[in-house]
Amino acid sequence: MINLLEEKPINIAGVLFVAQPNNTAKVAEELGGFPGAEVHEIADNGSMVVTIEENDLNRGEKGKGLINTITDMSNLPGVISSSLIFHHNDYGLPQHQGIKV
């Protein structure tokens, strides 16, 4: 049987950030500098779509964790708001709990 799922569990968030329109490029650059973050779309009104994938640099004891990373991103100067628009976590799947599928 072919398992199309990731070998390691993944935790990904999609966040809509809104920045001051005159500061969007700088904010986008800073957001993209966070571990696991990627800026995908930037609109003229200052809104941008960013995904953050949990990895060894931002996970648990080695980092701040996904939610704390998003909080730090939201507190950057120039960020007006942030909204979690997507979240995927497959830690609960049987293959990530040592159950044979």
Side-chain angles (χ1 to χ4, degrees):
M1 180 166 111
I2 297 174
N3 183 357
L4 298 177
L5 298 171
E6 297 286 331
E7 289 182 25
K8 295 173 86 175
I10 57 172
N11 192 14
I12 300 173
V15 181
L16 175 66
F17 286 94
V18 178
Q20 297 166 339
N22 61 343
N23 205 17
T24 304
K26 184 177 187 306
V27 170
E29 182 179 339
E30 290 181 19
L31 290 172
F34 277 80
E38 185 176 345
V39 179
H40 296 277
E41 294 290 329
I42 303 171
D44 293 337
N45 67 358
S47 61
M48 57 193 85
V49 175
V50 180
T51 55
I52 305 104
E53 182 173 351
E54 189 176 65
N55 60 35
D56 289 339
L57 297 175
N58 65 14
R59 179 183 293 119
E61 292 179 16
K62 293 181 180 180
K64 293 186 164 220
L66 191 59
I67 295 301
N68 289 333
T69 298
I70 294 169
T71 300
D72 289 348
M73 296 168 90
S74 300
N75 289 326
L76 285 175
V79 173
I80 297 171
S81 68
S82 62
S83 300
L84 181 67
I85 55 174
F86 172 80
H87 181 244
H88 172 80
N89 178 332
D90 63 7
Y91 287 116
L93 295 176
Q95 66 269 34
H96 299 309
Q97 295 183 7
I99 300 170
K100 195 170 189 173
V101 288

